[in-house]
Amino acid sequence: MSTSTDRLLGRRAQAFLRRTGRTYAGTNERPLRGYLAAMTAFGAYTAGWATLVRLRGRPLPDRPQPWDVLLTSVATFRLSRLISKASVTSPLRAPFTTYVGPQGPAELHEEARPETGRDTVGELMTCPFCMSVWVASTLTAGQLLWPRATRAAMGAATALAGADALQLAYGALVSKATDS
């Protein structure tokens, strides 16, 4: 293809993306390009670790073990909240978010910065549901590449989730007992 044909195709693709974005969002601002970039980054990330698993000759299990699924679920929950909501990890989110206020025990409410490029990352960094996709993928890669170390780390994160639940339950019981 010639350079002029490449430019024409590029302009048409950009026009299509702009039209699609306007049609989809209506009167709202939605960072579709940012989401597309995030999906591309996630695809490249998972393809990268999948390639590493293959190059190392690690066999894939026939099916996941129930214990590993449970451990991964709880560890993913806890690590996702730690990354996306904890006060102590706010320096990681600060370049992409704005502090709004406290939200629950040792958690913050932050909003994504509306600046192009930061809005999508800010949404990802403040959403435990969004973050859990990346965390679960990372833990899965870890289980395939470094199973013993990853299970130990997941065990610690799961213990932390259990401790959090006990702290909240204890606080609720003390509150109930002293309010009577």
Side-chain angles (χ1 to χ4, degrees):
M1 282 189 187
S2 69
T3 305
S4 61
T5 304
D6 290 344
R7 280 193 213 118
L8 177 62
L9 287 174
R11 284 194 302 269
R12 285 185 178 173
Q14 287 179 346
F16 172 77
L17 288 173
R18 279 193 298 274
R19 268 193 323 275
T20 301
R22 281 192 306 268
T23 303
Y24 171 76
T27 59
N28 301 305
E29 287 291 321
R30 299 303 307 149
L32 288 183
R33 287 184 183 181
Y35 294 155
L36 184 58
M39 288 172 24
T40 302
F42 182 77
Y45 174 69
T46 54
W49 69 252
T51 300
L52 184 58
V53 168
R54 184 176 183 111
L55 289 174
R56 289 187 140 190
R58 298 287 187 165
L60 294 176
D62 291 331
R63 63 182 153 304
Q65 297 298 314
W67 175 249
D68 284 338
V69 173
L70 179 63
L71 194 61
T72 303
S73 298
V74 177
T76 296
F77 159 77
R78 188 63 200 107
L79 292 172
S80 296
R81 290 207 72 83
L82 180 68
I83 294 167
S84 64
K85 294 291 183 188
S87 300
V88 72
T89 56
S90 62
L92 300 174
R93 299 183 304 273
F96 310 101
T97 62
T98 302
Y99 174 78
V100 176
Q103 177 183 323
E107 290 191 344
L108 302 177
H109 175 69
E110 297 163 321
E111 292 182 356
R113 290 190 188 181
E115 303 150 25
T116 302
R118 293 179 189 239
D119 48 0
T120 303
V121 177
E123 281 188 42
L124 172 68
M125 296 289 293
T126 59
C127 172
F129 298 97
C130 306
M131 186 57 64
S132 67
V133 174
W134 290 80
V135 171
S137 182
T138 302
L139 293 176
T140 300
Q143 288 179 73
L144 294 170
L145 294 166
W146 308 281
R148 292 179 72 189
T150 302
R151 282 191 186 96
M154 289 192 314
T158 299
L160 181 58
D164 289 348
L166 291 171
Q167 293 288 359
L168 292 170
Y170 178 79
L173 286 172
V174 168
S175 179
K176 186 175 181 174
T178 57
D179 287 344
S180 303

